Every structure is written in C-alpha cells, then in structure tokens.
C-alpha cells in the first residue's frame, strides 16, 4: 500500500513540477505587491500575479548564511526567466539582442574567469619563486630578480656550478664577505630561519586580521558550497586578496604545503566576484554554482598546467551538479586560463609548471610489480595521513592549541626551517624537489642524484643522450641517505602543517612523499638490474649496456600513488600526471598505481582527506559516492519524533499576523508547512521562514490597515470577513505549491537518493495525504552519523 501510494504521489508531483512550479516561481518575489493589491480589493477576486523580473521584492527568495539553497526552486526560477526572455525576443529587435547577450554572457564570464585566474596564478608563481630564493641570498643588480634570473645574463658561471655567479650573493657573503667555512654556514642557517619565520608570521597575521576564511586548502568548503550550502564571505574579495598574498608567503616560508589546492579557491573567488557583473548569475544561486564548478577546473588547470585534468578534477572530485553545458564551459575556461599562464611564462621555460619532464624510455611488463608496490605504499600512506591529520586537527579544535594559531604557525615554521636547512632536499621548495626527483639523468647532469660511476668504455652510453644503467657512485649513496631522511621528515611534518591557519595545499607535499619513495625504489631496481641482468626477470629485455630502468618514472608513479591515496582521485589524477609529463606511454603504470592506492586506502576507510575535513567541520554535505545501506524508513528519521511536541504548521486561513509572528519567533525552523486546518492536517504547501518575515515586514510598512489582528490567507480567494475587520494579508504568492513529499513507509535509501539527486533542503512526510512530519538534510546526516556510531551532534549547520 505504502509503495503504491508513494509512486502515485511521485507521479503526481512530477506533473505539478511542470505546471505548478511555474505559478509558484512567477509569484515568488512579489508577495507584497500582490497582497497590497488584493487588500485594495477588500479580499475579493484573485490578485494579479506580478512578474518577479519587473517588480521584485528585495530579499525575497534569498537565503541566510549557513543555509542550504533550494535547487529545484532556483532551477525553476531560471527556466521561468529564460522563457520570459525567449517570448520577448520575438517582439522586438532590442529584446532579441538582449536574448543573444544573455545566451553569450556565460561564455564571456568563462573568458573573464580564465583570464583573471591565469594572471593571478602567474603572479603567485613568480612571487613565490622570488621570495623562496630570498631565504638564500639576494641579487645585487636588482633585488626583485630571483636566483635563476639574476645569473641568466652572467658570463661568469661555470657548467658545474651554473647557479653560482657574482651578481647573486648569499647572506653570508653580504654580511661576512665569505661563502665558505662554518661561520658562513651558521649565518646562512640563521637568515634562512629568520626569513621563514617572517613570511609565516606575515601570512598567519594577515589571515587572522583580514580574512579568516583564507586559511587552509579551501577544497572541502568549495565542495560543500557546490552542494548548495551558503558560506557568505568565503568567496569574497577580501578572501581573494588575502589568500593570494598569504599563499605566496606561506609557500615561500618553506612550510610543507603546496599552492595547488588554494589556487582552486582563488579561481572560485574570481568566478564569484565576476558573477556579480551578470544579473543571470548574481540572482540565481544554482546558476552561480555552475560557474564555480568551471572555476574549480580553472584552478587545477593553472596549478598543474593541465586543462583537461582540471575539467575531470572538477567533475570527479568537487562538483555536485555538473550538466553537459558546464563541461563545455569548464573546458573553455581551463583553456583560456592555461593560455594566459603560458603567455606570462612564470618559469621562463615555456612550461606551465616547474616539474614538467619528458620521458620516452619504454617500460617493461615486469616493472608493473614495483609500480603496484608503489600503489600499495601510496594507499597505506594516504590512509595513515588522513587518520593522523584528522586526529591532530581534532586535538587542535578541542584543546588550548586552537586558541593560539599565530604561535602554532611560528613554532611549526621554526621547526620546519631548523630541520629542513641541513638537508638540501628538504631545503628546496616542494616543486623544485619534485622536479629534481622526476628528472632523468643525462650526460650533462651535475645533480647528486646522478652521481653514478662513469662508464669505462663508450659503448655503455646508450642511444642518443640517454645513458645506460650504471653502478651507483658516492654522490648517489649520499643523495639516497638524504632522500630517506627527507621522506621521514616530510611524512611527519605534513601531518601537523595541513589545517593550520595559513593557506595550505596538499597536492605538492603528497606528491613529494610519493616521488621520494618512487625514486628510492627506482634506483634500487636500476642497481638490481645492473648487477643481475642475467636473472630470469631481466633476461631478454635488459642486456648489459642498455638503459633499462628510468628512476624518474618511478618517482612520477609514486607521486601519483600517494596523491591518489590521500585524495582518492583516479581518472583526473592520471590525466593530470600525463599532461604534466607529456608521456602517453606511461598511462598504464599510472593507472595501475593509482587504482591500487585507492583500493588499499579504501580498505582502511572510504573517505578522502577532503571528505574527512568536511565531516570534521560539521558541514551538511551528502556525499554522492557513499552508499546508504540501512533498512530504515522515512518515519524513523522524520521530526517530530514520538516524544517531541507537534510539528509547527501554518493554516491556509484563520491565523492572524500576530499569531504567525509569535510562531515564527518561538521557533528556529527555516520553513513551515501550510495545512488546510489544524484538525485535518491536509497539506497545501510550504513557506520559507525568511520569505514569511520579509513579506510581513514589507506589508506592515507599505500596505495600509495591516495590523496584528489582520488575517493571513494562503488561499486563492480570501474568505468573507466582517465589514469592520482589517484587510487580510494574502501570502499565497510566497508559498511553494508543490513541496516534495514522501509517505511514511518510503525506504530511507530512496529518500537519500531523492535528496542527493534533486538537491532538496527538506521533504515532507505524509500518511494518506495527512501531514506527519518533515525530513531535512541535517536529519539525514544525523541519522547516517548514528548508524556509523559517530556523534550526531557533530553536524553543525542546516
């Protein structure tokens, strides 16, 4: 009986959505004007429906901070607006031009977002490179040059020491006049710590003073915002300005964090600010979220120089609603952003990222085993990192540590600088480290990682510029020890760094951990193949004097595995990695490692780092990837429960303005069901609290005769009244005539699906047409938390 009734009800609702919603949205936004006209008629005859495009009431149909938007209402409003413009375009040339400009505005907005985000990313890259080098020294011909640009034009550089030139002086050379000896080392060490502390202090102070929302990665909040939640100011102009400045400072301070995640936040801020230039996006929250989805793609496009990877990242990782139109627009915006960044050329090498590499050495089937091993390492590290980081963040929230964010950042920055300086691999920035690890040794490399013993005869130099596998020399052994220490340091320090009150991304530190592990394994495999090429696994494809193993490829696969283990990205991650490296032949190793890391990490917990932080912060986010497996019914989750007071409802007639105001003030609900009468409880519609308050307040100011004793009427025709009674206040225009309903016996897995796929805020529960209760998104999240043995009160918002 319950099932048949529910399906019938849903069929009826689908009919209502087509017809009824049109009436609802055309009247939304015009309650005061329609009410005043109705009052002028003394409550007789139907009120004239007023077009919200022509006569809007300020604030109506908008949302309060920390509330969820009504996707169905927003989409319906946009369809209505579009229908209006299309109808008018047939009447005059001006209206036709308006229609064309309206259709074109989305593409123009994408162009502007791409240009703005690309320009900002280029500026961030250049500034971060300059400030990072400033920790080591200064350029005498112009302090604004970084180390590389300073020595570019110098004729006095040698091949072995190409980064040494008289124009660039270390702090020890400037202060003591010499660059050698223990005293010079101590001066450089102290200056490195001084600059690191100064940059970290400036970053955390600016964030705390001007834009508290500029801290962290920003991706968990953007995922929540894209699911329909409202966090005012999170994508505002102050957040954009402060995040851009402090991101440069935080990266330059040497803290174990990246700029890639925060660049997604920066791009979304650009999109949100530019949305205000276009009425279509300014006034519609659902349309604005389509633009923000495209902006997330732009963020990854400029972070990694991977436009296609950016689009897939937005689709796979952050977006909640991603129609085909958004896919095309994301693609266009990511293209514009990548082109802008390429024009700025921040690294001076015509590449969009510092660690772009080109491998063309083939890989062999036998190597899939170590690649899968790297996948297992990535999955284990990802699961361990998420648990450790969430435990640390929870400790920060619940203890005195959270009250002193400036001291925390300074202590971590000091600890990082103190431990990082002695090791050249931790002293360099994360992007430089990854670039070094991805690099394939050629004849001309002076890096320690290429410290092999030189071949005795020329036949061992392989084909072209690639070198045959060689035995490891002293330099390489030293580098491997330093890398092993760097691996332990990075794994530990990243846990306490991510989540501090400075902009902090996770992509670069995760990739660095994986790249170090991959390079270590790659060198191990290379030496194994060199000394044992007659083993059965190497026979036939790895002959003496051949270039069999590419350690840089192992570093790349390891980086992908660790990033996949932490974020649980799959398709987008593989595409980003092959766009980074330009190596199409390495898709299979990358896929194998990424998939393995996801399976291993999922065995310890299904949540990625962003979902874990969403849960930690208590945001109302219904994870689309999560299955609801419990056999509960709608009646088990709805409010009011059996012991609770009755549901607060409005009747379609018979209540006065004073009674409605008392009910609204005595409760904190975001909306009220409207019923025929308290006795029958037959459902008529649903009214939002905000719309109700704005309409009553507006009517009291503008409409004559509205007092506390005036009747509030939600019917089409006002009931007959005594001649001396004050005029009624007609509010049918602000009522949703087709609220979503389910019956009390609807299984919760279907209810959860309805909430996810339609983006509902609330759903009413009925039994044989009578109203029983209400289910909100928060109720579902609390129920899911209870099932998972978590604290249901951790869900903080509506």
């Amino acid at each position: 009986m319950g099932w048949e009734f529910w399906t019938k009800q849903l069929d009826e609702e689908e009919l209502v959505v087509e017809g009824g919603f049109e009436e609802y949205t055309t009247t939304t936004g015009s309650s005061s004007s329609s009410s005043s006209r109705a009052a002028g008629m003394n409550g007789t005859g139907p009120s004239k429906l007023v077009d919200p495009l022509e006569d809007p009431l300020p604030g109506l149909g908008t949302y309060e901070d920390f509330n969820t938007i009504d996707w169905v209402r927003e989409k319906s409003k946009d369809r209505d607006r579009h229908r209006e413009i299309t109808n008018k375009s047939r009447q005059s040339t001006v209206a036709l031009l308006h229609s064309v400009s309206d259709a074109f505005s989305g593409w123009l907005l994408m162009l502007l977002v791409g240009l703005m985000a690309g320009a900002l990313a280029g500026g961030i890259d250049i500034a971060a490179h300059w400030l990072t080098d400033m920790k080591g020294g200064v350029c005498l011909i112009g302090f604004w040059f970084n180390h590389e640009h300073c020595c570019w034009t110098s004729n006095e550089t040698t091949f072995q020491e190409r980064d040494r030139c008289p124009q660039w002086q270390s702090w020890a050379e400037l202060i003591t006049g010499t660059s050698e000896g223990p005293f010079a080392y101590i001066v450089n060490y102290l200056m490195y710590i001084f600059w690191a502390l100064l940059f970290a202090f400036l970053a955390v102070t600016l964030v705390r003073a001007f834009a508290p929302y500029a801290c962290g990665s920003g991706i968990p909040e953007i995922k929540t915002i894209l699911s329909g939640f409202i966090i005012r100011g999170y994508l505002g102009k102050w957040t954009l300005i402060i995040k851009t400045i402090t991101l440069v400072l935080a990266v330059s301070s040497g803290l174990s964090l990246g700029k890639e995640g925060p660049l997604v936040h920066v791009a979304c801020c650009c999109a949100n600010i530019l949305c205000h230039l276009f009425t279509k996006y300014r006034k519609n929250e659902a349309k604005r979220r389509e633009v923000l989805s495209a902006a997330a793609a732009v963020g990854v496009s400029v972070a990694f120089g991977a436009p296609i990877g950016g689009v897939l990242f937005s689709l796979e990782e952050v977006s909640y609603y991603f129609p085909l139109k958004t896919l095309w627009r994301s693609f266009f915006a990511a293209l514009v952003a990548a082109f802008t960044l390429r024009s700025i050329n921040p690294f001076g090498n015509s590449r969009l990222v510092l660690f772009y590499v080109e491998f063309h050495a083939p890989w062999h089937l036998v190597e899939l085993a170590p690649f899968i091993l790297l996948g297992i390492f990535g999955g284990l590290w990802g699961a361990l990192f998420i648990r450790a980081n969430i435990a640390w963040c929870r400790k920060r929230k619940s203890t005195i540590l959270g009250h002193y964010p400036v001291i925390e950042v300074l202590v971590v920055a000091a600890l990082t600088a103190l431990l990082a300086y002695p090791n050249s691999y931790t002293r360099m920035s994360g992007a430089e480290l990854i670039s070094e690890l991805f690099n394939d040794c050629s004849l001309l490399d002076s890096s320690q990682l290429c410290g092999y013993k030189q071949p005795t005869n020329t036949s061992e130099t392989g084909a072209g510029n690639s070198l045959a596998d060689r035995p490891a020399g002293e330099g390489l052994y030293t580098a491997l020890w330093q890398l092993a220490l760097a691996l332990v340091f990075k794994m530990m320090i990243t846990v306490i760094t991510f989540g501090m009150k400075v902009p902090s991304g996770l992509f670069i530190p995760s990739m660095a951990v994986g790249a170090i592990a991959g390079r270590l394994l790659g060198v191990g495999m290379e030496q194994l193949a060199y000394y044992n090429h007659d083993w059965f696994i190497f026979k036939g494809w790895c002959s003496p004097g051949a270039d069999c193993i590419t350690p840089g490829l192992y570093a790349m696969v390891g980086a992908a595995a660790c990033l996949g283990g932490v974020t649980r990205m799959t398709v987008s991650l593989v595409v980003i990695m092959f766009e980074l490296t330009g190596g199409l032949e390495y898709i299979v190793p990358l896929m194998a490692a990424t998939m393995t890391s996801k399976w291993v990490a999922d065995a310890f917990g299904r949540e990625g780092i962003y979902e874990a932080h969403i849960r930690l912060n208590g945001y109302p986010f219904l994870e689309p990837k999560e299955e609801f497996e419990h056999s509960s019914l709608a009646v088990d989750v709805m409010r009011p429960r059996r012991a609770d007071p009755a549901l607060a409802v409005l009747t379609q007639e018979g209540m006065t303005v004073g009674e409605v105001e008392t009910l609204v003030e005595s409760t904190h609900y975001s909306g009220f069901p409207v019923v025929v009468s308290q006795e029958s409880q037959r459902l008529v519609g649903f009214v939002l609290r905000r719309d109700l308050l704005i309409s009553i307040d507006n009517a009291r100011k503008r409409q004559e005769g509205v007092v506390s004793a005036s009747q509030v009427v939600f019917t089409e025709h006002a009931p007959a009244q005594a001649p001396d009674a004050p005029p009624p206040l007609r509010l049918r225009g602000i009522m949703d005539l087709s609220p979503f309903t389910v019956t009390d016996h609807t299984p919760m897995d279907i209810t959860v699906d309805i909430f996810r796929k339609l983006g509902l805020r609330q759903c009413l529960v009925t039994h044989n047409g009578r109203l029983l209760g209400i289910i909100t998104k928060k109720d579902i999240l609390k129920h899911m938390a209870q099932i998972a043995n978590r604290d249901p009160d951790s869900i903080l918002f509506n």
Side-chain angles (χ1 to χ4, degrees):
M1 164 65 196
W3 261 107
E4 287 168 17
F5 182 78
W6 182 75
T7 47
K8 181 171 179 288
Q9 182 112 353
L10 204 61
D11 288 343
E12 286 168 6
E13 276 169 30
E14 284 171 4
L15 294 173
V16 173
V17 167
E18 287 299 312
F21 242 107
E22 186 179 333
E23 182 189 351
Y24 159 53
T25 46
T26 46
T27 54
T28 300
S30 56
S31 66
S32 67
S33 38
S34 56
S35 335
S36 55
R37 288 170 200 192
M41 297 175 188
N42 261 341
T44 57
S47 67
K48 183 187 171 202
L49 293 181
V50 183
D51 193 326
L53 287 167
E54 291 172 7
D55 191 11
L57 179 61
L60 208 64
T62 59
Y63 304 92
E64 290 175 348
D65 202 5
F66 298 119
N67 265 285
T68 307
I69 70 165
D70 188 333
W71 283 91
V72 179
R73 178 164 93 161
E74 295 296 310
K75 294 302 291 176
S76 184
K77 251 162 62 175
D78 183 60
R79 270 200 304 273
D80 222 61
R81 188 197 63 81
H82 190 261
R83 199 178 294 127
E84 174 86 14
I85 290 171
T86 309
N87 291 341
K88 281 185 176 175
S89 68
R90 298 182 185 127
Q91 294 164 13
S92 71
T93 313
V94 175
L96 180 66
L97 288 172
H98 177 243
S99 170
V100 171
S101 73
D102 180 74
F104 180 66
S105 62
W107 295 100
L108 179 61
L109 178 56
M110 290 299 113
L111 177 73
L112 295 174
V113 170
L115 290 169
M116 188 173 174
L120 280 174
I124 288 168
D125 283 340
I126 291 165
H129 206 161
W130 169 60
L131 287 182
T132 302
D133 285 351
M134 193 182 263
K135 296 203 301 271
V138 71
C139 188
L140 300 181
I141 53 174
F143 72 90
W144 55 89
F145 288 116
N146 64 32
H147 194 161
E148 191 180 354
H149 286 149
C150 191
C151 293
W152 214 317
T153 52
S154 174
N155 297 323
E156 298 165 62
T157 51
T158 63
F159 187 76
Q160 286 302 319
E161 295 183 336
R162 67 191 82 171
D163 56 346
R164 296 283 294 275
C165 64
Q167 288 86 346
W168 178 269
Q169 292 207 335
S170 68
W171 294 109
E173 283 177 284
L174 276 176
I175 296 164
T176 66
T178 175
S179 61
E180 305 298 326
F183 184 59
Y185 182 82
I186 290 165
V187 169
N188 279 334
Y189 200 162
L190 291 173
M191 286 304 288
Y192 181 89
I193 293 170
F194 165 74
W195 286 111
L197 286 173
L198 178 67
F199 295 154
F201 176 72
L202 285 173
V204 69
T205 310
L206 286 170
V207 165
R208 201 174 175 207
F210 297 104
Y213 282 152
C215 68
S217 144
I219 292 178
E221 285 76 11
I222 283 161
K223 280 188 79 156
T224 311
I225 288 168
L226 287 175
S227 76
F229 194 56
I230 287 178
I231 309 177
R232 299 232 180 275
Y234 198 81
L235 301 174
K237 59 180 182 298
W238 272 110
T239 308
L240 174 64
I241 294 165
I242 297 302
K243 186 119 188 179
T244 306
I245 296 165
T246 54
L247 179 54
V248 171
L249 291 165
V251 169
S252 308
S253 69
L255 287 165
S256 180
L257 46 85
K259 62 182 185 306
E260 282 62 24
L263 276 173
V264 173
H265 187 184
V266 166
C268 286
C269 287
C270 296
N272 187 55
I273 291 162
L274 292 168
C275 275
H276 289 282
L277 302 175
F278 301 88
T279 318
K280 176 162 81 169
Y281 296 102
R282 185 174 70 245
K283 293 190 173 178
N284 194 300
E285 293 289 350
K287 293 295 288 177
R288 194 183 305 182
R289 273 153 183 73
E290 289 179 22
V291 177
L292 294 178
S293 284
V298 168
V300 174
S301 171
V302 292
F304 289 110
I308 300 167
V311 175
L312 290 172
F313 171 80
S314 179
L315 176 61
E316 181 184 358
E317 193 58 32
V318 294
S319 293
Y320 202 81
Y321 171 67
F322 202 86
L324 201 57
K325 185 167 58 178
T326 306
L327 180 76
W328 301 328
R329 288 185 175 168
S330 303
F331 185 75
F332 174 66
L335 163 79
V336 172
F339 175 76
T340 308
L341 190 62
R342 171 69 179 75
S343 307
I344 294 169
N345 195 10
F347 302 111
N349 60 358
S350 303
R351 301 296 182 196
L352 301 184
V353 275
L354 196 57
F355 41 87
Y356 183 91
V357 284
E358 277 185 274
F359 300 139
H360 293 294
W363 60 278
H364 197 268
L365 206 59
V366 172
E367 291 182 275
L368 268 183
F371 293 150
I372 287 169
L373 203 63
L374 283 172
I376 293 169
F377 170 78
L380 290 172
W381 148 247
L384 176 73
F385 174 80
I386 291 167
R387 292 203 174 179
N389 181 249
I390 292 298
W392 179 258
C393 290
R394 196 168 275 125
K395 188 179 172 68
R396 181 189 288 131
K397 269 176 176 274
S398 58
T399 60
I400 199 165
L401 186 68
H403 301 301
Y404 301 101
V406 178
I407 293 171
E408 184 197 3
V409 169
L410 287 177
V411 168
V412 173
L415 188 69
T416 306
L418 202 65
L419 296 174
Y421 188 82
N423 186 340
S424 61
Y425 292 108
T426 48
R427 189 189 314 166
M428 62 177 71
S429 73
E432 283 179 290
L433 172 63
I434 293 168
S435 176
E436 181 92 349
L437 294 165
F438 281 8
N439 186 33
D440 191 20
C441 290
S442 66
L443 277 169
L444 308 176
D445 265 314
S446 56
S447 160
Q448 256 196 314
L449 279 172
C450 299
Y452 294 94
K453 288 177 184 167
Q454 287 306 315
T456 48
N457 58 346
T458 50
S459 64
E460 281 190 37
T461 55
N465 198 27
S466 73
L467 286 172
D469 291 347
R470 296 165 290 166
E474 282 299 314
L476 184 58
Y477 283 124
T478 311
L480 293 181
W481 271 111
Q482 288 182 334
L483 278 180
L485 290 170
L487 179 66
V488 175
F489 171 72
K490 284 273 181 196
M491 285 169 82
M492 292 172 76
I493 205 79
T494 309
V495 169
I496 58 171
T497 307
F498 187 68
M500 290 197 309
K501 298 296 178 203
V502 289
S504 53
L506 196 57
F507 283 26
I508 289 291
S510 304
M511 286 173 71
V513 166
I516 294 171
R519 188 79 189 204
L520 291 172
L521 182 63
V523 172
M525 279 293 291
E526 185 185 45
Q527 295 306 304
L528 191 69
Y530 179 79
Y531 288 111
N532 305 287
H533 48 74
D534 53 346
W535 278 13
F536 129 88
I537 54 168
F538 299 119
K539 239 181 189 159
W541 65 279
C542 188
S543 53
D547 180 16
C548 310
I549 309 283
T550 311
L553 171 60
Y554 284 74
M556 188 176 96
V557 171
C562 279
L563 187 52
V566 171
T567 62
R568 309 298 157 86
M569 289 154 55
T570 50
V571 183
S572 52
L573 177 60
V574 171
V575 174
I576 286 169
M577 291 308 289
F578 93 70
E579 280 190 270
L580 271 181
T581 54
L584 282 169
E585 57 263 50
Y586 304 122
I587 287 183
V588 172
L590 286 169
M591 285 172 79
T594 308
M595 210 60 243
T596 308
S597 87
K598 180 174 167 55
W599 284 335
V600 171
D602 279 352
F604 293 91
R606 298 297 295 273
E607 285 181 329
I609 187 71
Y610 302 130
E611 290 79 20
H613 273 270
I614 285 170
R615 192 159 54 78
L616 180 73
N617 293 326
Y619 297 134
F621 182 74
L622 260 178
E623 177 55 63
K625 300 169 195 164
E626 205 176 310
E627 292 293 324
F628 185 89
E629 290 163 353
H630 206 260
S631 59
S632 46
L633 301 174
V635 73
D636 304 324
V637 180
M638 72 172 197
R639 287 178 300 157
R641 304 283 162 83
R642 285 183 177 84
D644 293 347
L647 188 65
V649 295
L650 301 170
T651 54
Q652 66 175 358
E653 54 187 55
M655 289 182 81
T656 63
V657 169
E659 286 169 347
V660 170
E661 286 180 323
T662 307
L663 177 68
V664 172
E665 282 162 16
S666 64
T667 59
H668 56 272
Y669 307 127
S670 57
F672 301 91
V674 179
V675 293
V676 173
S677 67
Q678 292 285 4
E679 295 74 38
S680 80
Q681 290 287 312
R682 296 277 171 186
L683 184 63
V684 177
F686 191 84
V687 174
L688 290 176
R689 175 198 190 93
R690 185 179 172 86
D691 290 358
L692 197 59
L693 286 172
I694 288 170
S695 301
I696 291 173
D697 184 50
N698 189 68
R700 279 188 182 278
K701 286 176 185 169
R702 294 193 194 174
Q703 191 178 328
E704 285 179 31
V706 171
V707 290
S708 293
S710 299
Q711 279 219 358
V712 175
V713 181
F714 290 99
T715 52
E716 196 142 356
H717 306 288
Q721 288 191 298
D724 56 339
L729 175 59
R730 300 193 53 195
L731 296 180
R732 186 177 177 82
I734 64 164
M735 181 169 65
D736 178 357
L737 295 166
S738 53
F740 280 87
T741 58
V742 294
T743 68
D744 49 343
H745 290 294
T746 305
M748 269 312 292
D749 55 346
I750 290 177
T751 310
V752 170
D753 256 358
I754 292 171
F755 267 83
R756 277 183 187 143
K757 287 172 181 162
L758 294 176
L760 300 186
R761 300 177 73 179
Q762 71 276 316
C763 184
L764 301 172
V765 183
T766 61
H767 176 73
N768 292 345
R770 290 184 76 241
L771 181 68
L772 280 189
I774 186 169
I775 298 175
T776 64
K777 197 193 241 188
K778 190 174 180 178
D779 294 329
I780 289 178
L781 289 163
K782 283 191 164 190
H783 181 65
M784 289 167 91
Q786 257 173 332
I787 291 168
N789 294 321
R790 297 196 304 262
D791 176 20
D793 293 325
S794 63
I795 313 296
L796 300 177
F797 306 104
N798 292 321

